Amino acid sequence: KKRKSILLFNNKRKKKRNMRKDKEILLTLWKYGKKNKVLKTGDSFGENALKKTENKINSTIITKTDCLFCILERDEYRNLISEFVDHARKINVDSLMHSKLFYNYNSDLFSIHYYSYFTPIKKSKGDYLFRQKEERKNIYFIKRGGVQIEYYASWNDLENILYTITEQNIKAKKNNNIGVPYEVFENFIQKKQRFNIFAYFNGEIAGTNEILYPNTDLFMFDAVCISECEIFSLDIESLNNIINEKIIRKNYNELNLLKKEKLIQRLLNL
């Protein structure tokens, strides 16, 4: 039955392929007396009415050409949606369980108690997850893609961060051994520029500030997507509820320690 439907749509597409663009418009959807959108080969309509308990259609569909439809009954539609939701949930839970934060934690317990805390979002290449000095409301679990952590600062700012996380003051030697006048050197280290700190990929977490300033409510860095990304956001209140679990708290502390070491090494390399 499904295979027949797919073939019908494929045949329809083949017939339309050599036609003019305006002939592709098959139906017009009207809502409250106004044209809402036009539908073409492969589009669907009517699902909103099937989601509601009263099952009432609130739009009018007018065909612009001869059309061939594949019809899905309400019960079949709801069963398919239910299967899809269950399947998507399992995939998302498996993806989140790959995070080091949930190492050794039971996936069934996670699905029951904590999965609902996470919000799936999609980002395009070049989109920002958060900006430097922006209020910190969420942290982000990367399901697919890459996120670059950047810092807009001067060399002096980098030095201050190193001092904060290592408790060692790494002062630049202010002398002429570098071969340029001191004024030129001073201007150079005071000038702000954009530094690439490191990148996060599948299974990693962006937005945890505890490695630097545990009491701050602001993000210290920028986070920009370097590819198409699928991400789960988790608000800070929900994070605090989750890490009340002893196993997760242990993983969280170890994860922040590893991030701290990675950050120190990267800043020293810079």
Side-chain angles (χ1 to χ4, degrees):
K1 196 170 185 180
K2 293 179 183 176
R3 187 178 300 159
K4 183 179 180 182
S5 300
I6 293 170
L7 288 174
L8 287 174
F9 274 114
N10 284 340
N11 289 339
K12 197 69 176 177
R13 288 194 183 97
K14 289 178 182 177
K15 291 178 182 178
K16 294 292 181 183
R17 186 174 295 170
N18 296 323
M19 300 179 72
R20 287 168 41 211
K21 188 174 181 180
D22 59 343
K23 293 292 184 181
E24 286 283 347
I25 300 175
L26 306 178
L27 309 101
T28 306
L29 189 148
W30 294 78
K31 192 170 184 178
Y32 306 122
K34 296 182 179 180
K35 184 185 289 188
N36 187 274
K37 62 179 178 179
V38 295
L39 303 176
K40 301 179 182 180
T41 301
D43 291 336
S44 63
F45 59 90
E47 57 269 24
N48 287 336
L50 299 182
K51 296 175 185 176
K52 301 174 183 178
T53 54
E54 60 269 22
N55 298 320
K56 291 183 179 179
I57 297 175
N58 57 9
S59 302
T60 299
I61 308 293
I62 302 174
T63 58
K64 302 286 287 185
T65 66
D66 293 339
C67 296
L68 178 64
F69 296 99
C70 294
I71 298 172
L72 192 63
E73 298 292 341
R74 180 187 60 192
D75 291 342
E76 292 175 338
Y77 172 81
R78 289 181 174 176
N79 288 337
L80 285 174
I81 291 298
S82 177
E83 291 175 9
F84 173 79
V85 169
D86 291 343
H87 181 65
R89 181 188 183 97
K90 184 179 184 304
I91 291 175
N92 288 339
V93 168
D94 289 344
S95 176
L96 286 166
M97 294 304 294
H98 278 89
S99 169
K100 292 180 180 178
L101 182 62
F102 303 115
Y103 178 70
N104 278 344
Y105 192 74
N106 185 277
S107 60
D108 292 332
L109 291 177
F110 173 84
S111 179
I112 295 170
H113 296 298
Y114 299 128
Y115 174 71
S116 60
Y117 290 175
F118 293 82
T119 302
I121 56 176
K122 291 185 178 181
K123 292 287 185 179
S124 300
K125 182 179 179 180
D127 288 347
Y128 280 87
L129 285 182
F130 51 82
R131 303 301 301 265
Q132 193 172 325
K133 297 184 179 180
E134 189 176 79
E135 185 180 0
R136 181 170 171 262
K137 297 180 180 179
N138 304 286
I139 64 170
Y140 301 91
F141 293 71
I142 302 169
K143 176 182 178 182
R144 181 182 63 84
V147 175
Q148 179 73 50
I149 303 301
E150 301 176 344
Y151 189 40
Y152 183 69
S154 67
W155 289 103
N156 272 353
D157 294 328
L158 292 182
E159 177 188 328
N160 291 334
I161 287 184
L162 274 171
Y163 178 73
T164 300
I165 60 181
T166 63
E167 299 179 356
Q168 296 175 5
N169 200 349
I170 308 174
K171 292 288 185 181
K173 293 183 179 180
K174 298 179 179 179
N175 53 43
N176 286 330
N177 291 337
I178 56 175
V180 296
Y182 171 72
E183 291 77 12
V184 176
F185 175 68
E186 185 71 12
N187 290 335
F188 171 75
I189 64 174
Q190 293 290 349
K191 183 180 179 181
K192 288 186 178 293
Q193 55 186 301
R194 189 163 295 279
F195 295 93
N196 291 334
I197 305 300
F198 38 66
Y200 292 124
F201 296 98
N202 300 5
E204 296 188 292
I205 308 172
T208 54
N209 276 6
E210 289 80 354
I211 53 175
L212 291 180
Y213 305 107
N215 300 320
T216 186
D217 292 326
L218 303 178
F219 285 116
M220 304 309 301
F221 303 114
D222 291 336
V224 60
C225 295
I226 54 178
S227 65
E228 298 288 327
C229 291
E230 293 183 31
I231 294 168
F232 299 99
S233 67
L234 178 70
D235 64 79
I236 301 302
E237 182 180 354
S238 297
L239 171 65
N240 292 332
N241 288 335
I242 290 175
I243 61 178
N244 282 332
E245 291 271 4
K246 185 177 180 180
I247 295 177
I248 300 178
R249 165 64 72 176
K250 178 177 178 293
N251 293 338
Y252 187 70
N253 292 336
E254 291 178 353
L255 189 61
N256 281 331
L257 182 61
L258 289 173
K259 282 189 174 184
K260 180 177 179 179
E261 293 173 353
K262 182 179 179 182
L263 180 59
I264 292 172
Q265 187 59 50
R266 176 56 180 160
L267 293 178
L268 288 173
N269 289 340
L270 287 173

